Coordinates of all heavy atoms in Angstrom, one line a residue:
M25 N 21.7 -22.1 19.0 CA 21.1 -21.3 18.0 C 20.6 -22.2 16.8 O 21.3 -23.1 16.5 CB 22.2 -20.3 17.5 CG 21.7 -19.4 16.4 SD 22.9 -18.1 16.1 CE 21.8 -16.9 15.4
S26 N 19.5 -21.9 16.3 CA 18.9 -22.7 15.2 C 19.5 -22.3 13.9 O 20.0 -21.2 13.6 CB 17.4 -22.5 15.2 OG 17.1 -21.2 14.8
I27 N 19.5 -23.3 13.0 CA 20.0 -23.1 11.6 C 19.0 -22.3 10.9 O 17.8 -22.7 10.9 CB 20.3 -24.5 11.0 CG1 21.3 -25.3 11.7 CG2 20.7 -24.3 9.5 CD1 21.5 -26.7 11.2
P28 N 19.4 -21.3 10.2 CA 18.4 -20.5 9.5 C 17.7 -21.2 8.4 O 18.3 -22.1 7.7 CB 19.2 -19.3 8.9 CG 20.6 -19.4 9.5 CD 20.7 -20.8 10.1
V29 N 16.4 -20.9 8.1 CA 15.7 -21.4 7.0 C 16.2 -20.6 5.8 O 16.3 -19.4 5.8 CB 14.2 -21.2 7.2 CG1 13.4 -21.6 5.9 CG2 13.6 -22.0 8.4
R30 N 16.5 -21.3 4.7 CA 17.0 -20.7 3.5 C 15.9 -20.4 2.6 O 15.1 -21.3 2.2 CB 18.0 -21.6 2.8 CG 19.3 -21.8 3.5 CD 20.2 -22.8 2.8 NE 19.6 -24.0 2.3 CZ 19.4 -25.1 3.0 NH1 19.8 -25.2 4.2 NH2 18.8 -26.1 2.4
I31 N 15.7 -19.1 2.3 CA 14.7 -18.6 1.4 C 15.3 -18.2 0.1 O 16.2 -17.4 0.1 CB 13.9 -17.4 1.9 CG1 13.2 -17.8 3.2 CG2 12.9 -16.9 0.9 CD1 12.5 -16.6 3.9
T32 N 14.9 -18.8 -1.0 CA 15.3 -18.5 -2.3 C 14.2 -17.9 -3.1 O 13.1 -18.5 -3.1 CB 15.9 -19.7 -3.1 OG1 16.9 -20.4 -2.3 CG2 16.4 -19.3 -4.5
I33 N 14.4 -16.7 -3.7 CA 13.4 -16.0 -4.4 C 13.8 -15.9 -5.9 O 14.8 -15.3 -6.2 CB 13.1 -14.6 -3.9 CG1 12.7 -14.7 -2.4 CG2 12.0 -13.9 -4.7 CD1 12.6 -13.3 -1.7
F34 N 13.1 -16.7 -6.8 CA 13.4 -16.6 -8.2 C 12.6 -15.4 -8.7 O 11.4 -15.3 -8.4 CB 13.0 -17.8 -8.9 CG 13.9 -19.0 -8.6 CD1 13.5 -20.0 -7.8 CD2 15.2 -19.1 -9.2 CE1 14.4 -21.1 -7.5 CE2 16.0 -20.1 -9.0 CZ 15.6 -21.1 -8.1
F35 N 13.3 -14.4 -9.4 CA 12.6 -13.2 -9.8 C 13.0 -12.8 -11.2 O 14.0 -13.3 -11.8 CB 13.0 -12.1 -8.8 CG 14.4 -11.6 -9.0 CD1 14.6 -10.4 -9.7 CD2 15.5 -12.2 -8.4 CE1 15.9 -9.9 -9.9 CE2 16.8 -11.7 -8.6 CZ 17.0 -10.6 -9.3
R36 N 12.3 -11.8 -11.7 CA 12.6 -11.1 -12.9 C 12.7 -9.6 -12.6 O 12.0 -9.1 -11.7 CB 11.5 -11.3 -14.0 CG 11.5 -12.8 -14.5 CD 10.4 -13.0 -15.4 NE 10.7 -12.4 -16.7 CZ 10.1 -12.6 -17.8 NH1 9.0 -13.4 -17.9 NH2 10.5 -12.1 -19.0
D37 N 13.5 -8.9 -13.4 CA 13.5 -7.5 -13.3 C 12.2 -6.8 -13.6 O 11.4 -7.4 -14.4 CB 14.6 -6.9 -14.2 CG 16.0 -7.3 -13.9 OD1 16.2 -7.6 -12.7 OD2 16.9 -7.3 -14.7
N38 N 11.9 -5.7 -13.0 CA 10.6 -5.0 -13.2 C 9.4 -5.8 -12.8 O 8.3 -5.6 -13.5 CB 10.5 -4.5 -14.6 CG 11.7 -3.6 -15.0 OD1 12.1 -2.7 -14.2 ND2 12.3 -3.8 -16.1
C39 N 9.5 -6.7 -11.9 CA 8.4 -7.5 -11.4 C 8.0 -6.9 -10.0 O 8.7 -7.1 -9.1 CB 8.8 -8.9 -11.3 SG 7.7 -10.0 -10.4
H40 N 6.8 -6.3 -9.9 CA 6.4 -5.7 -8.7 C 6.1 -6.7 -7.6 O 6.4 -6.5 -6.4 CB 5.3 -4.7 -8.9 CG 3.9 -5.4 -9.1 ND1 3.6 -5.9 -10.3 CD2 2.9 -5.6 -8.2 CE1 2.4 -6.4 -10.1 NE2 2.0 -6.3 -8.9
L41 N 5.6 -7.9 -8.0 CA 5.4 -8.9 -7.0 C 6.7 -9.4 -6.4 O 6.8 -9.7 -5.2 CB 4.6 -10.1 -7.6 CG 3.1 -9.8 -8.0 CD1 2.5 -11.0 -8.6 CD2 2.3 -9.4 -6.7
C42 N 7.7 -9.5 -7.3 CA 9.0 -10.0 -6.8 C 9.6 -9.0 -5.8 O 10.1 -9.4 -4.8 CB 10.0 -10.1 -8.0 SG 9.4 -11.3 -9.3
T43 N 9.5 -7.7 -6.1 CA 9.9 -6.7 -5.2 C 9.2 -6.7 -3.8 O 9.8 -6.6 -2.8 CB 9.8 -5.3 -5.8 OG1 10.5 -5.2 -7.0 CG2 10.2 -4.2 -4.9
D44 N 7.9 -7.0 -3.9 CA 7.0 -7.1 -2.7 C 7.5 -8.3 -1.8 O 7.6 -8.1 -0.6 CB 5.6 -7.2 -3.1 CG 5.0 -5.9 -3.7 OD1 5.6 -4.9 -3.6 OD2 3.8 -6.0 -4.2
V45 N 7.6 -9.4 -2.5 CA 8.0 -10.6 -1.7 C 9.4 -10.4 -1.1 O 9.6 -10.8 0.1 CB 8.0 -11.9 -2.6 CG1 8.6 -13.1 -2.0 CG2 6.5 -12.2 -3.0
Y46 N 10.3 -9.8 -1.8 CA 11.6 -9.6 -1.2 C 11.6 -8.7 0.0 O 12.2 -8.9 1.0 CB 12.6 -9.0 -2.3 CG 14.0 -8.8 -1.8 CD1 14.8 -9.9 -1.4 CD2 14.5 -7.6 -1.8 CE1 16.1 -9.7 -1.0 CE2 15.8 -7.4 -1.3 CZ 16.6 -8.5 -0.9 OH 17.9 -8.3 -0.5
G47 N 10.7 -7.6 -0.1 CA 10.6 -6.7 1.0 C 10.0 -7.4 2.2 O 10.4 -7.2 3.4
I48 N 9.0 -8.3 2.0 CA 8.4 -9.1 3.1 C 9.5 -10.0 3.7 O 9.5 -10.1 4.9 CB 7.2 -9.9 2.5 CG1 6.0 -9.0 2.2 CG2 6.8 -11.0 3.6 CD1 4.9 -9.7 1.4
A49 N 10.3 -10.6 2.9 CA 11.3 -11.5 3.4 C 12.3 -10.7 4.3 O 12.7 -11.2 5.4 CB 12.0 -12.3 2.3
L50 N 12.7 -9.6 3.8 CA 13.6 -8.7 4.5 C 13.0 -8.3 5.9 O 13.7 -8.3 6.9 CB 14.0 -7.5 3.8 CG 15.0 -7.7 2.6 CD1 15.2 -6.3 1.8 CD2 16.3 -8.2 3.1
H51 N 11.8 -8.0 5.9 CA 11.1 -7.6 7.1 C 11.1 -8.8 8.1 O 11.4 -8.6 9.3 CB 9.7 -7.2 6.8 CG 8.9 -6.9 8.1 ND1 9.0 -5.7 8.8 CD2 7.9 -7.6 8.7 CE1 8.2 -5.8 9.9 NE2 7.5 -6.9 9.8
L52 N 10.8 -10.0 7.6 CA 10.7 -11.2 8.5 C 12.1 -11.6 9.0 O 12.2 -12.2 10.1 CB 10.1 -12.4 7.7 CG 8.6 -12.2 7.4 CD1 8.1 -13.4 6.6 CD2 7.8 -12.1 8.7
Q53 N 13.1 -11.2 8.2 CA 14.5 -11.5 8.7 C 14.9 -10.9 10.0 O 15.7 -11.4 10.7 CB 15.5 -11.1 7.6 CG 16.9 -11.7 7.7 CD 17.8 -11.4 6.6 OE1 17.7 -10.3 5.9 NE2 18.6 -12.3 6.2
S54 N 14.2 -9.8 10.3 CA 14.5 -9.1 11.5 C 14.0 -9.8 12.8 O 14.4 -9.6 13.9 CB 13.9 -7.6 11.5 OG 12.5 -7.7 11.5
E55 N 13.1 -10.8 12.5 CA 12.5 -11.5 13.7 C 12.6 -13.0 13.6 O 12.5 -13.7 14.6 CB 11.0 -11.1 13.9 CG 10.2 -11.5 12.7 CD 8.7 -11.0 12.8 OE1 8.5 -9.8 12.6 OE2 7.9 -11.8 13.2
L56 N 12.9 -13.5 12.4 CA 13.0 -15.0 12.3 C 14.4 -15.3 11.8 O 15.1 -14.5 11.1 CB 12.0 -15.5 11.3 CG 10.5 -15.3 11.6 CD1 9.6 -15.7 10.4 CD2 10.1 -16.0 12.8
S57 N 14.9 -16.5 12.1 CA 16.2 -17.0 11.6 C 16.1 -17.5 10.2 O 15.7 -18.6 9.9 CB 16.7 -18.1 12.5 OG 17.9 -18.6 12.1
I58 N 16.4 -16.6 9.2 CA 16.3 -16.9 7.8 C 17.5 -16.3 7.1 O 18.0 -15.3 7.5 CB 15.0 -16.4 7.2 CG1 14.8 -14.9 7.3 CG2 13.8 -17.2 7.8 CD1 13.6 -14.4 6.6
E59 N 17.8 -17.0 6.0 CA 18.8 -16.4 5.0 C 18.0 -16.2 3.7 O 17.3 -17.1 3.3 CB 19.9 -17.5 4.8 CG 20.8 -17.6 5.9 CD 21.9 -18.7 5.6 OE1 21.9 -19.3 4.5 OE2 22.7 -18.9 6.5
I60 N 18.2 -15.1 3.1 CA 17.5 -14.8 1.8 C 18.5 -14.8 0.7 O 19.6 -14.1 0.7 CB 16.8 -13.4 1.9 CG1 15.9 -13.4 3.1 CG2 16.1 -13.1 0.6 CD1 15.4 -12.0 3.5
R61 N 18.1 -15.4 -0.4 CA 18.9 -15.4 -1.7 C 18.0 -15.1 -2.8 O 16.9 -15.7 -3.0 CB 19.5 -16.7 -1.9 CG 20.4 -16.8 -3.1 CD 21.1 -18.2 -3.1 NE 20.2 -19.2 -3.5 CZ 20.4 -20.1 -4.5 NH1 21.5 -20.0 -5.2 NH2 19.5 -21.0 -4.8
K62 N 18.3 -14.1 -3.6 CA 17.6 -13.7 -4.8 C 18.3 -14.3 -6.0 O 19.5 -14.1 -6.1 CB 17.5 -12.2 -4.9 CG 16.5 -11.5 -4.0 CD 16.5 -10.0 -4.1 CE 16.2 -9.5 -5.5 NZ 16.1 -8.1 -5.6
V63 N 17.5 -14.9 -6.9 CA 18.1 -15.5 -8.1 C 17.3 -15.0 -9.3 O 16.1 -15.2 -9.4 CB 18.1 -17.0 -8.1 CG1 18.6 -17.6 -9.4 CG2 18.8 -17.5 -6.9
S64 N 18.0 -14.2 -10.2 CA 17.3 -13.8 -11.4 C 17.2 -14.9 -12.4 O 18.2 -15.6 -12.6 CB 18.1 -12.6 -12.0 OG 17.5 -12.3 -13.3
I65 N 16.0 -15.1 -13.0 CA 15.8 -16.1 -14.0 C 16.2 -15.6 -15.4 O 16.3 -16.4 -16.3 CB 14.4 -16.7 -14.0 CG1 13.4 -15.7 -14.4 CG2 14.1 -17.3 -12.6 CD1 12.0 -16.3 -14.6
E66 N 16.4 -14.3 -15.5 CA 16.7 -13.7 -16.8 C 18.1 -14.1 -17.2 O 19.0 -14.1 -16.4 CB 16.5 -12.2 -16.8 CG 15.0 -11.8 -16.6 CD 14.8 -10.4 -16.5 OE1 15.7 -9.6 -16.2 OE2 13.6 -10.0 -16.6
G67 N 18.2 -14.5 -18.5 CA 19.5 -14.9 -19.0 C 19.8 -16.4 -18.7 O 20.9 -16.9 -19.0
D68 N 18.9 -17.1 -18.0 CA 19.1 -18.5 -17.8 C 18.0 -19.3 -18.5 O 16.8 -19.2 -18.0 CB 19.1 -18.8 -16.3 CG 19.4 -20.2 -15.9 OD1 18.9 -21.1 -16.5 OD2 20.2 -20.4 -14.9
R69 N 18.3 -19.9 -19.6 CA 17.2 -20.6 -20.3 C 16.5 -21.6 -19.5 O 15.2 -21.7 -19.7 CB 17.8 -21.2 -21.6 CG 18.1 -20.2 -22.7 CD 18.5 -20.9 -24.0 NE 19.8 -21.5 -23.8 CZ 20.2 -22.7 -24.3 NH1 19.3 -23.4 -24.9 NH2 21.4 -23.1 -24.1
V70 N 17.1 -22.4 -18.7 CA 16.5 -23.4 -17.9 C 15.5 -22.8 -16.9 O 14.3 -23.2 -16.8 CB 17.5 -24.3 -17.2 CG1 16.9 -25.3 -16.3 CG2 18.4 -25.0 -18.2
L71 N 16.0 -21.8 -16.2 CA 15.1 -21.2 -15.2 C 13.9 -20.4 -15.9 O 12.8 -20.4 -15.4 CB 15.9 -20.2 -14.3 CG 16.9 -20.9 -13.4 CD1 17.6 -19.8 -12.6 CD2 16.2 -21.8 -12.4
M72 N 14.2 -19.8 -17.0 CA 13.1 -19.1 -17.8 C 12.1 -20.1 -18.2 O 10.9 -19.8 -18.1 CB 13.7 -18.3 -19.0 CG 14.3 -17.0 -18.6 SD 13.2 -15.8 -17.9 CE 12.3 -15.3 -19.4
K73 N 12.5 -21.2 -18.7 CA 11.5 -22.2 -19.2 C 10.7 -22.7 -18.0 O 9.5 -22.9 -18.1 CB 12.3 -23.4 -19.9 CG 11.3 -24.4 -20.5 CD 12.1 -25.4 -21.2 CE 11.1 -26.5 -21.8 NZ 11.8 -27.5 -22.6
R74 N 11.4 -22.9 -16.9 CA 10.7 -23.5 -15.7 C 9.8 -22.5 -15.0 O 8.7 -22.8 -14.6 CB 11.8 -24.0 -14.7 CG 11.2 -24.7 -13.6 CD 12.3 -25.4 -12.8 NE 11.7 -26.2 -11.8 CZ 12.4 -26.9 -10.9 NH1 13.7 -26.9 -10.9 NH2 11.8 -27.7 -10.0
Y75 N 10.2 -21.2 -14.8 CA 9.5 -20.3 -14.0 C 9.0 -19.0 -14.7 O 8.4 -18.2 -14.1 CB 10.5 -19.8 -12.9 CG 10.9 -20.9 -11.9 CD1 12.2 -21.1 -11.7 CD2 9.9 -21.7 -11.2 CE1 12.6 -22.1 -10.8 CE2 10.3 -22.6 -10.4 CZ 11.7 -22.9 -10.1 OH 12.1 -23.9 -9.3
G76 N 9.3 -18.9 -16.0 CA 9.0 -17.7 -16.8 C 7.9 -16.8 -16.3 O 8.2 -15.6 -15.9
T77 N 6.7 -17.2 -16.3 CA 5.6 -16.3 -15.9 C 5.1 -16.6 -14.5 O 4.2 -15.9 -14.1 CB 4.4 -16.5 -16.9 OG1 4.0 -17.8 -16.9 CG2 4.8 -16.0 -18.3
K78 N 5.7 -17.5 -13.8 CA 5.3 -17.8 -12.4 C 5.9 -17.0 -11.3 O 5.5 -17.1 -10.2 CB 5.6 -19.3 -12.1 CG 4.8 -20.3 -12.8 CD 5.2 -21.7 -12.6 CE 5.5 -22.1 -11.1 NZ 5.8 -23.5 -10.9
V79 N 6.9 -16.2 -11.7 CA 7.6 -15.4 -10.7 C 6.8 -14.4 -9.9 O 5.8 -14.0 -10.5 CB 8.9 -14.7 -11.3 CG1 9.9 -15.7 -11.8 CG2 8.5 -13.7 -12.3
P80 N 7.1 -14.1 -8.7 CA 8.2 -14.7 -7.9 C 7.9 -16.2 -7.5 O 6.7 -16.5 -7.3 CB 8.3 -13.8 -6.7 CG 6.9 -13.3 -6.5 CD 6.3 -13.2 -7.9
V81 N 8.9 -17.0 -7.5 CA 8.8 -18.3 -7.0 C 9.6 -18.4 -5.7 O 10.8 -18.0 -5.7 CB 9.3 -19.4 -8.0 CG1 9.3 -20.8 -7.4 CG2 8.4 -19.3 -9.2
I82 N 9.1 -18.9 -4.6 CA 9.8 -18.9 -3.3 C 10.0 -20.3 -2.9 O 9.1 -21.1 -2.8 CB 8.9 -18.1 -2.2 CG1 8.8 -16.7 -2.6 CG2 9.6 -18.2 -0.9 CD1 7.4 -16.4 -3.3
L83 N 11.3 -20.6 -2.6 CA 11.7 -21.9 -2.1 C 12.1 -21.7 -0.7 O 12.7 -20.7 -0.3 CB 12.9 -22.5 -2.9 CG 12.6 -23.1 -4.2 CD1 12.0 -22.2 -5.2 CD2 13.9 -23.7 -4.8
L84 N 11.7 -22.7 0.2 CA 12.2 -22.7 1.6 C 13.0 -24.0 1.7 O 12.5 -25.1 1.5 CB 11.0 -22.7 2.5 CG 10.1 -21.5 2.4 CD1 8.9 -21.7 3.4 CD2 10.8 -20.2 2.7
D85 N 14.3 -23.8 2.1 CA 15.2 -25.0 2.1 C 15.1 -25.8 0.9 O 15.0 -27.0 0.9 CB 14.9 -25.8 3.4 CG 15.3 -25.1 4.7 OD1 16.2 -24.2 4.6 OD2 14.8 -25.4 5.7
E86 N 15.1 -25.1 -0.3 CA 15.2 -25.8 -1.6 C 13.9 -26.5 -2.0 O 13.9 -27.2 -3.0 CB 16.4 -26.8 -1.7 CG 17.7 -26.1 -1.4 CD 18.0 -24.9 -2.2 OE1 17.8 -24.8 -3.4 OE2 18.5 -23.9 -1.6
V87 N 12.8 -26.3 -1.3 CA 11.5 -26.8 -1.6 C 10.6 -25.7 -2.0 O 10.4 -24.7 -1.3 CB 10.9 -27.6 -0.4 CG1 9.5 -28.1 -0.8 CG2 11.8 -28.7 0.0
E88 N 10.0 -25.8 -3.2 CA 9.1 -24.8 -3.7 C 7.8 -24.7 -2.9 O 7.2 -25.7 -2.6 CB 8.7 -25.1 -5.2 CG 7.9 -23.9 -5.8 CD 7.7 -24.2 -7.3 OE1 8.5 -24.7 -8.0 OE2 6.5 -23.8 -7.7
H89 N 7.5 -23.5 -2.4 CA 6.3 -23.3 -1.6 C 5.3 -22.3 -2.2 O 4.1 -22.5 -2.0 CB 6.7 -22.7 -0.2 CG 7.2 -23.8 0.7 ND1 6.4 -24.4 1.6 CD2 8.5 -24.3 0.8 CE1 7.2 -25.3 2.3 NE2 8.4 -25.3 1.8
F90 N 5.8 -21.3 -2.9 CA 4.9 -20.3 -3.4 C 5.3 -19.9 -4.8 O 6.5 -19.9 -5.1 CB 4.9 -19.0 -2.6 CG 4.5 -19.2 -1.1 CD1 5.4 -19.3 -0.1 CD2 3.1 -19.4 -0.8 CE1 5.1 -19.5 1.2 CE2 2.7 -19.6 0.5 CZ 3.7 -19.6 1.5
A91 N 4.3 -19.5 -5.6 CA 4.5 -18.8 -6.9 C 3.5 -17.7 -7.0 O 2.3 -17.9 -6.7 CB 4.4 -19.8 -8.0
G92 N 4.0 -16.5 -7.4 CA 3.1 -15.4 -7.5 C 3.0 -14.6 -6.2 O 4.0 -14.6 -5.4
A93 N 1.9 -14.0 -6.0 CA 1.7 -13.1 -4.8 C 1.7 -14.0 -3.5 O 1.2 -15.1 -3.5 CB 0.4 -12.3 -4.9
V94 N 2.3 -13.5 -2.4 CA 2.3 -14.1 -1.1 C 2.2 -13.1 -0.1 O 2.8 -12.0 -0.2 CB 3.5 -15.1 -0.9 CG1 4.8 -14.3 -1.0 CG2 3.4 -15.9 0.3
T95 N 1.5 -13.3 1.0 CA 1.4 -12.4 2.1 C 2.4 -12.6 3.1 O 3.0 -13.7 3.2 CB 0.0 -12.4 2.8 OG1 -0.1 -13.7 3.4 CG2 -1.1 -12.3 1.7
E96 N 2.6 -11.6 4.0 CA 3.6 -11.8 5.1 C 3.2 -13.0 6.0 O 4.0 -13.8 6.4 CB 3.7 -10.5 5.9 CG 4.7 -10.6 7.0 CD 4.9 -9.3 7.7 OE1 4.8 -8.2 7.1 OE2 5.1 -9.3 9.0
G97 N 1.9 -13.0 6.3 CA 1.4 -14.1 7.1 C 1.6 -15.5 6.5 O 2.0 -16.4 7.2
E98 N 1.4 -15.6 5.2 CA 1.6 -16.9 4.6 C 3.1 -17.3 4.6 O 3.4 -18.5 4.9 CB 1.1 -16.9 3.1 CG -0.4 -16.8 2.9 CD -0.8 -16.4 1.5 OE1 0.0 -15.7 0.8 OE2 -1.9 -16.9 1.1
L99 N 4.0 -16.3 4.3 CA 5.4 -16.6 4.3 C 5.9 -17.0 5.7 O 6.6 -17.9 6.0 CB 6.2 -15.5 3.7 CG 7.7 -15.7 3.5 CD1 8.0 -17.0 2.7 CD2 8.3 -14.5 2.9
R100 N 5.4 -16.2 6.7 CA 5.8 -16.4 8.1 C 5.4 -17.9 8.5 O 6.2 -18.6 9.1 CB 5.1 -15.4 9.0 CG 5.4 -15.6 10.5 CD 4.6 -14.7 11.4 NE 4.5 -13.3 10.9 CZ 5.3 -12.4 11.2 NH1 6.4 -12.6 12.0 NH2 5.2 -11.2 10.7
Q101 N 4.1 -18.3 8.2 CA 3.6 -19.6 8.6 C 4.5 -20.7 7.9 O 4.8 -21.7 8.5 CB 2.2 -19.7 8.2 CG 1.5 -21.0 8.5 CD 1.1 -21.0 10.0 OE1 1.1 -20.0 10.7 NE2 0.7 -22.2 10.4
A102 N 4.8 -20.5 6.6 CA 5.6 -21.5 5.9 C 7.0 -21.6 6.5 O 7.5 -22.7 6.6 CB 5.6 -21.1 4.4
I103 N 7.6 -20.5 6.9 CA 8.9 -20.5 7.5 C 8.9 -21.3 8.8 O 9.7 -22.2 9.1 CB 9.5 -19.1 7.7 CG1 9.8 -18.4 6.4 CG2 10.7 -19.1 8.6 CD1 10.0 -16.9 6.5
K104 N 7.9 -21.1 9.6 CA 7.8 -21.8 10.9 C 7.6 -23.3 10.7 O 8.2 -24.1 11.4 CB 6.6 -21.2 11.7 CG 7.0 -19.8 12.3 CD 5.8 -19.2 13.1 CE 6.2 -17.9 13.6 NZ 5.1 -17.3 14.4
K105 N 6.7 -23.7 9.7 CA 6.5 -25.1 9.4 C 7.8 -25.7 8.8 O 8.1 -26.8 9.2 CB 5.4 -25.2 8.3 CG 4.0 -25.1 8.9 CD 3.0 -25.3 7.9 CE 1.6 -25.1 8.4 NZ 0.6 -25.3 7.4
A106 N 8.6 -25.0 8.0 CA 9.8 -25.5 7.5 C 10.8 -25.8 8.6 O 11.5 -26.8 8.5 CB 10.4 -24.5 6.5
R107 N 10.8 -25.0 9.6 CA 11.8 -25.2 10.7 C 11.4 -26.4 11.5 O 12.3 -27.2 11.9 CB 11.7 -23.9 11.6 CG 12.8 -23.9 12.6 CD 12.8 -22.6 13.4 NE 12.0 -21.6 12.8 CZ 11.7 -20.5 13.3 NH1 12.1 -20.1 14.4 NH2 10.9 -19.6 12.7
W108 N 10.1 -26.7 11.6 CA 9.7 -27.9 12.4 C 9.8 -29.2 11.6 O 9.8 -30.2 12.2 CB 8.2 -27.7 12.9 CG 8.2 -26.7 14.0 CD1 7.7 -25.5 14.0 CD2 8.6 -27.0 15.4 NE1 7.8 -24.9 15.2 CE2 8.4 -25.8 16.1 CE3 9.2 -28.1 16.0 CZ2 8.7 -25.7 17.4 CZ3 9.5 -28.0 17.3 CH2 9.3 -26.8 18.1
R109 N 9.9 -29.1 10.3 CA 10.1 -30.3 9.5 C 11.5 -30.9 9.5 O 11.7 -32.0 9.1 CB 9.7 -30.0 8.0 CG 8.2 -30.0 7.8 CD 7.9 -30.1 6.4 NE 8.3 -28.9 5.7 CZ 7.5 -27.8 5.5 NH1 6.3 -27.8 6.0 NH2 8.0 -26.7 4.9
R110 N 12.4 -30.1 10.0 CA 13.8 -30.5 10.0 C 14.0 -31.6 11.1 O 13.4 -31.6 12.2 CB 14.7 -29.4 10.4 CG 14.7 -28.3 9.3 CD 15.6 -27.2 9.7 NE 15.8 -26.3 8.6 CZ 16.3 -25.1 8.7 NH1 16.8 -24.7 9.9 NH2 16.5 -24.4 7.7
P111 N 14.9 -32.6 10.8 CA 15.3 -33.6 11.8 C 16.0 -33.0 13.0 O 16.7 -32.0 12.8 CB 16.2 -34.5 11.0 CG 16.7 -33.8 9.8 CD 15.7 -32.7 9.5
I112 N 15.8 -33.6 14.1 CA 16.4 -33.1 15.4 C 17.9 -33.3 15.3 O 18.7 -32.5 15.8 CB 15.8 -33.8 16.6 CG1 14.3 -33.3 16.7 CG2 16.5 -33.4 17.9 CD1 13.5 -34.0 17.7
S113 N 18.3 -34.4 14.8 CA 19.8 -34.7 14.8 C 20.3 -35.1 13.4 O 19.5 -35.3 12.5 CB 20.1 -35.8 15.8 OG 19.5 -37.0 15.5

């Protein structure tokens, strides 16, 4: 069994793009080996300074891949590429 790709979504409350991206990730979870983690940037000065208006920000295995709107196809492709970038052993 393959190790799941870790998806981290940095988000803010009342962000429709954040909600959309999370829904896409949940949908892809039914067919791809992924783990999803949502992290609110609100209340965290460091994250607010770094990502404030860029949310949602999507990391795959701790590497930033997207900021803002993302389609299901774009996320699917990035997940597949992330899986192939991993070392074999």
Side-chain angles (χ1 to χ4, degrees):
M25 181 170 202
S26 65
I27 298 171
V29 172
R30 292 178 317 274
I31 298 177
T32 304
I33 301 170
F34 289 104
F35 75 98
R36 293 177 74 167
D37 292 336
N38 302 314
C39 166
H40 75 281
L41 290 177
C42 301
T43 301
D44 292 348
V45 167
Y46 183 64
I48 289 169
L50 286 175
H51 176 75
L52 291 175
Q53 192 173 38
S54 67
E55 61 185 82
L56 300 172
S57 179
I58 60 176
E59 291 178 358
I60 304 167
R61 181 174 74 125
K62 285 176 58 177
V63 177
S64 175
I65 66 169
E66 294 178 343
D68 186 315
R69 282 188 289 135
V70 173
L71 292 177
M72 281 295 288
K73 184 175 180 180
R74 186 172 188 181
Y75 297 123
T77 59
K78 288 176 45 174
V79 293
V81 175
I82 298 99
L83 281 57
L84 302 178
D85 289 336
E86 306 306 319
V87 177
E88 187 175 323
H89 281 265
F90 301 102
V94 62
T95 67
E96 181 176 326
E98 291 169 329
L99 186 54
R100 180 189 314 274
Q101 183 80 10
I103 291 167
K104 288 179 179 181
K105 284 183 181 178
R107 193 173 345 172
W108 285 106
R109 280 193 293 269
R110 292 179 172 169
I112 294 172
S113 59

